[in-house]
Amino acid sequence: MRALSRKNESLRKIELLAGVNKFADGSCLVSFGDTRVLCTATIETKVPMFLKHSGTGWVTAEYAMLPASCQTRIEREVVKGHQSGRSLEIQRLIGRSLRAVVDLEKMGERQIIVDCDVLQADGGTRTASITGGFIALYQAMQKLQNKYKLPELPINDYVAAVSCGIVNGTPMLDLDFDEDSNAETDSNFVMTGSGGIVEIQGTAEKVPFTENEFLKLLSMARTGTIELIQLQKKVVNSLNPKSEEE
Amino acid sequence: MRALSRKNESLRKIELLAGVNKFADGSCLVSFGDTRVLCTATIETKVPMFLKHSGTGWVTAEYAMLPASCQTRIEREVVKGHQSGRSLEIQRLIGRSLRAVVDLEKMGERQIIVDCDVLQADGGTRTASITGGFIALYQAMQKLQNKYKLPELPINDYVAAVSCGIVNGTPMLDLDFDEDSNAETDSNFVMTGSGGIVEIQGTAEKVPFTENEFLKLLSMARTGTIELIQLQKKVVNSLNPKSEEE
Amino acid sequence: MRALSRKNESLRKIELLAGVNKFADGSCLVSFGDTRVLCTATIETKVPMFLKHSGTGWVTAEYAMLPASCQTRIEREVVKGHQSGRSLEIQRLIGRSLRAVVDLEKMGERQIIVDCDVLQADGGTRTASITGGFIALYQAMQKLQNKYKLPELPINDYVAAVSCGIVNGTPMLDLDFDEDSNAETDSNFVMTGSGGIVEIQGTAEKVPFTENEFLKLLSMARTGTIELIQLQKKVVNSLNPKSEEE
Amino acid sequence: MRALSRKNESLRKIELLAGVNKFADGSCLVSFGDTRVLCTATIETKVPMFLKHSGTGWVTAEYAMLPASCQTRIEREVVKGHQSGRSLEIQRLIGRSLRAVVDLEKMGERQIIVDCDVLQADGGTRTASITGGFIALYQAMQKLQNKYKLPELPINDYVAAVSCGIVNGTPMLDLDFDEDSNAETDSNFVMTGSGGIVEIQGTAEKVPFTENEFLKLLSMARTGTIELIQLQKKVVNSLNPKSEEE
Amino acid sequence: MRALSRKNESLRKIELLAGVNKFADGSCLVSFGDTRVLCTATIETKVPMFLKHSGTGWVTAEYAMLPASCQTRIEREVVKGHQSGRSLEIQRLIGRSLRAVVDLEKMGERQIIVDCDVLQADGGTRTASITGGFIALYQAMQKLQNKYKLPELPINDYVAAVSCGIVNGTPMLDLDFDEDSNAETDSNFVMTGSGGIVEIQGTAEKVPFTENEFLKLLSMARTGTIELIQLQKKVVNSLNPKSEEE
Amino acid sequence: MRALSRKNESLRKIELLAGVNKFADGSCLVSFGDTRVLCTATIETKVPMFLKHSGTGWVTAEYAMLPASCQTRIEREVVKGHQSGRSLEIQRLIGRSLRAVVDLEKMGERQIIVDCDVLQADGGTRTASITGGFIALYQAMQKLQNKYKLPELPINDYVAAVSCGIVNGTPMLDLDFDEDSNAETDSNFVMTGSGGIVEIQGTAEKVPFTENEFLKLLSMARTGTIELIQLQKKVVNSLNPKSEEE
């Protein structure tokens, strides 16, 4: 039995609280059960070197866990002097996923940084970061549009992510930390509002998996991301772009 | 006039929410107005090198600001590869201040790390960290006492901190970011429940200050810390040590 | 048309030269067309911290590109002081993939490090590293078995990897650098000799992809890895374990 | 009894040797008893980023201890790869203290760096650095004035610093290393020639201190800094600005 | 007896394979017996800071050993975060040696980087790097001349290097790893085609050496470098400059 | 003409002041003209990893320049996060040179670190460091002998070093900074009291040099080091080993 009698194909309780930060250009406190990530988006007027004088914008992400977010305290990455491979891998995934639904040319030569700081980690922090990061990004894009009088919002679809895995032979949606630790196969899926796939990652943790098993996970992820995107739509509808102006 | 018609000798709205984190051994979300710091305390069974085989414990602190906590986004310290001088200075102050009310020998050879992560910064983050960090530390000490059957709680007093400054010639208590930016003199005071002084820092930002001006700031700080410690006492009284057990 | 009139479902010319290094415990110079990776395996008698006193061994990998391996010279990572996110991501993938076919317990408390140094990079360096790294690892395992009189070789299957992508709407196997730069979707598959899947990575570079497109890539990857594993088998059969002894 | 029968309210033997370095723009070898710091000042024609195109100058300081300056050899900070929190804290204090008596606008867009390298450390290295650093800075300012034909010397007061502490219940001025190691309260005061206070730092090392105790330390510091500034005046009067020209 | 019955004044088997890398502007795989170094040269259109707007070019070198190149695996330098003193010393020597035969002014404001990556290390890697690096540099200079229509090739002599040492009292040329480990005196000589000396390094490893001993080593080195330069001349003659054009 | 009418084969004014540091186990302030290096020696009871449980000691050196020691201020190495190649090369040379006259086995399992900190740099800092470092080391060895009741002093000869160069075609001894900057050939020689050679380094800065030129430099160096060692002998004779005891 899963915690709280959850069904195998059910998400945990999802919350998306937009506008929780006073100074950021966009923000969202996202919860997937006990996993809680503070996503904030900041507009900058400079772009990475390779885009200078291109007229095109950029969206990037950074990811970190607070030291006491886990069951065992983790050392701050600054103490070791560099980000771990895991953090770099996750923030590259978040950035790619968000850029998949952004029209970078419409942004003009500006950058939005989406910071995903994990306050509490109970599995699925990267998928929560993408799902909540989209809301923070959306808010910042509204502010960008207002401030620079852009003809259109530079976002062309929704994007959300969810994990699936095979635990003791059973495919399950949205694994919590304990399930994830026991999974034979662990996977993450990033999908858009119009049904396209942005990213698939599947990893055999203990034994290789079969094509059929993988297709079951893909199907569960489809159900999960549809539900997540419906929640995103509600939040987006409630955002009053006027309130973003300073 | 100060924001929200605050009087010169008044604190901002103070909130101390204990137990906000599922995995930490103690936690407190502290607000001084719009300044918000998440303080978490973790018990470790190892101590720093210089205390090995001494039978004595240690309390230390770490301090960091989330990138979007400020009016202008600040780069993560891990990106530069090391903590800034300001962060190191602040976390050393927090650690010293908390140790001033701890009986390290009563802890046994264990360490408590108090992490202070600034979610939103509107002035006074170091004083909020000390004030809220005390609550997180207190909770962790209760857990330590229960877990290791310590005869007494290794805490012997309350400790809180507040900033004062001279802004346009006027002494003021608990400066917000705008006041702090305009202050001629900036100071921080750390005091205990029994009235002792743990730390005094006074800095002339623009013009040197006089002894009389300094004494006025000291007197205001006395009033402020008394009020903060009353709030701490309420929170401490509401903590049920039983609930800390696993 | 692909370079050298290659068919969409064909691999480039593959070469696996075992035993090219005098001092390593195992080695393989692998070529996928113009991509050339020198894989070497080293036996160490210490294991990572988390395995101390467990009696269990470990296999890990490191990956780097020589500065002039690419069309544009890349700076050495040591000059920046840390490995890039890309390098860390790739070496974590190589390590996971190789461990999927290793029986770590049979190794005893020893570690094998597989170094994958890219001499020339023309696309698919991570998949070449896994495919050639397996041969270097195999040789080192034979040496380990001889040296420590292990009852069995601690390897239980073959493992190989290949990339696939959608280029101008056409699914293609084993992309070279130019194809990879133009791909709409880029993916990597790691599979075993008995047909299990170890890792799937699919990324939309420009537009999201559909489930059907993904299934076509998966099917191509199946064909490619079967062929790669046949080549591995030939090399393994030619290895005379006696020659590994010092 | 204090070493060398010193009275509680007496300084150690103070020496300020100006012009000891052939290549620096200003220099002073300062001794507070056995504490010896080599202070050198260098003029640069570039300013920190935040002052570019402001027409305003800057004064900053760097502080380090030679490895064998202490009773126990300390590792070079470059070996650990970063400055310690203590070093950063001290050099920030020295820089703030010196800037308190400089008219940055009169400097034009130039910077003076004051390097304080501790040759021998017997307590009070930060206060010796400020006191001697002022002389090095003064010399460099004379050179700056001559070289760039500034209408006025950009210095508007003297500045000196001294430590005080409570040792075994007794307030004492200018602690040496042994006294400092045993102090219950440790404090540093930075004051100007016209009697203003630039910086106050008071720290309870073992037990909190009272307001009355603190006022006694403040009064002793007043006496000490007046004496130090008289010595600075003698040195300044002996400096022949002509000799600074190349 | 030396390995393979080599005479004391004989080189090991030397091989210089030019053009082994598809993407570099020049390349040479050099072997001194079992020592194998991959030298690649890259043309860049930027020069170091101190040469900006000078119209003059630069030649520099970088040196590294692959982890499994030695009898005992060596950790990648990026893992420690910085290059070792040994690597820096060697790459500075290679750069100086190559610049000694280059007319930097004739290059125009361009830089050539010569990367020397040791694939297998059996003694003499620095002398092999210089000898092989010259070939890679020569090829790149031909390409530079063609591309920028330089009136002359900016190379004015050959340069090669060899080690000598005193092993058990006997002077020997071109030490392999075992000989080097047992040498009382170890030396390296860099000489030009016209007989000039570019660099001499002699180090007593166990006991100081005499002037006479040193002169014997110098004489052996003369013989060795003459032979190496004859091999370089053969390779250079075989290079068809037309083939360097893109 | 050389500065101060010095002859080509003459040293600058040399000073060796022993015992200048209160806390170090040995110390020497050495001057070669305007070059001034503070050498201090520290005894440690731990040895490097590779000597643990060998019963053998070690001597090592560290070298650094103070920021304002040069004509142009140089950045502290800690600011860049690592030592420069030049510093590492020099400190490796100093360590090797000093070890050449030490009987490491007689030291027992202890280490002496010789720190060479350049206060003022006018050419020849590495040769001054070796010459002065020997005195600091000698003092520390006397202390080591006394403290651990060693039967003999673990030093078996004197060692000193000097630079020579060819400046405008003329061979010269002990170059100052200006001469060094203009030299065609630059060399350093380390020699012992009994006439052995410990290290020879000769570098062509502009044009290759001939064997005859090099022999002239070697001969000058011989004269110079004999004179330096005579000065060392005077200092050593004046050291009263009793005064080293604590």
Side-chain angles (χ1 to χ4, degrees), chain C residues 111-136:
Chain C
Q111 175 171 252
I112 294 180
I113 304 181
V114 178
D115 286 291
C116 301
D117 288 274
V118 179
L119 305 187
Q120 213 166 261
D122 190 31
T125 62
R126 81 187 69 189
T127 54
S129 295
I130 292 167
T131 307
F134 173 78
I135 298 298

Side-chain angles (χ1 to χ4, degrees), chain D residues 22 34 73 76 120, chain F residues 22 34 62 73 76 115:
Chain D
K22 188 181 177 180
D34 279 329
R73 184 180 183 276
R76 283 170 201 276
Q120 214 165 261
Chain F
K22 189 181 177 181
D34 279 329
E62 296 194 4
R73 183 180 183 276
R76 282 170 202 276
D115 286 291

Side-chain angles (χ1 to χ4, degrees), chain F:
Chain F
M1 266 303 267
R2 304 184 82 179
L4 303 172
S5 315
R6 184 154 58 110
K7 290 191 193 148
N8 292 332
E9 64 278 13
S10 294
L11 295 170
R12 289 176 284 179
K13 190 178 172 209
I14 310 294
E15 283 188 336
L16 297 165
L17 294 177
V20 296
N21 183 297
K22 189 181 177 181
F23 300 123
D25 295 314
S27 59
C28 178
L29 179 60
V30 55
S31 307
F32 277 37
D34 279 329
T35 288
R36 278 215 303 272
V37 184
L38 180 56
C39 307
T40 51
T42 307
I43 300 169
E44 297 195 338
T45 52
K46 63 179 177 200
V47 290
M49 198 62 99
F50 68 91
L51 286 178
K52 279 213 173 138
H53 309 303
S54 69
T56 293
W58 192 245
V59 171
T60 188
E62 296 194 4
Y63 169 95
M65 302 178 80
L66 290 200
S69 59
C70 289
Q71 303 203 3
T72 303
R73 183 180 183 276
I74 48 173
E75 207 180 27
R76 282 170 202 276
E77 296 193 323
V78 70
V79 172
K80 286 174 294 182
H82 56 88
Q83 289 184 281
S84 70
R86 181 185 169 275
S87 292
L88 288 165
E89 206 171 306
I90 291 175
Q91 73 188 24
R92 281 156 55 92
L93 170 65
I94 300 170
R96 273 199 314 271
S97 300
L98 295 176
R99 282 192 301 276
V101 296
V102 170
D103 190 328
L104 297 170
E105 292 189 14
K106 288 192 189 141
M107 291 177 66
E109 211 167 304
R110 291 143 200 140
Q111 174 170 253
I112 294 180
I113 304 181
V114 178
D115 286 291
C116 300
D117 287 274
V118 179
L119 304 186
Q120 214 165 262
D122 191 30
T125 60
R126 81 188 68 189
T127 54
S129 295
I130 292 167
T131 307
F134 173 79
I135 298 297
L137 176 65
Y138 193 96
Q139 253 195 330
M141 283 293 189
Q142 288 184 317
K143 191 163 175 184
L144 189 78
Q145 187 183 14
N146 285 340
K147 192 166 178 186
Y148 296 103
K149 313 288 176 214
L150 305 182
E152 285 172 274
L153 193 75
I155 286 191
N156 46 40
D157 205 344
Y158 287 80
V159 66
V162 75
S163 75
C164 304
I166 303 177
V167 186
N168 298 324
T170 309
M172 290 181 180
L173 182 67
D174 186 22
L175 308 189
D176 67 21
F177 179 78
D178 285 340
E179 291 165 347
D180 189 67
S181 308
N182 292 306
E184 292 98 49
T185 295
D186 182 21
S187 64
N188 293 288
F189 296 85
V190 185
M191 297 185 180
T192 66
S194 52
I197 307 173
V198 169
E199 186 101 13
I200 289 182
Q201 293 181 339
T203 302
E205 297 287 343
K206 291 173 190 162
V207 287
F209 52 90
T210 67
E211 210 169 304
N212 270 346
E213 285 173 328
F214 187 70
L215 292 180
K216 253 182 224 158
L217 298 179
L218 177 55
S219 151
M220 272 186 165
R222 172 80 60 198
T223 318
T225 48
I226 287 173
E227 198 174 325
L228 289 168
I229 286 169
Q230 281 169 340
L231 289 167
Q232 287 180 332
K233 284 182 180 167
K234 273 193 204 158
V235 175
V236 161
N237 289 335
S238 72
L239 291 176
N240 178 358
K242 297 304 174 207
S243 69
E244 302 313 305
E245 297 179 66
E246 289 185 349

Side-chain angles (χ1 to χ4, degrees), chain E residues 224-243:
Chain E
T225 48
I226 286 172
E227 198 173 326
L228 290 167
I229 287 169
Q230 280 169 341
L231 289 167
Q232 286 180 332
K233 282 182 182 168
K234 273 193 203 157
V235 175
V236 161
N237 288 336
S238 73
L239 291 176
N240 178 357
K242 297 305 172 205
S243 69

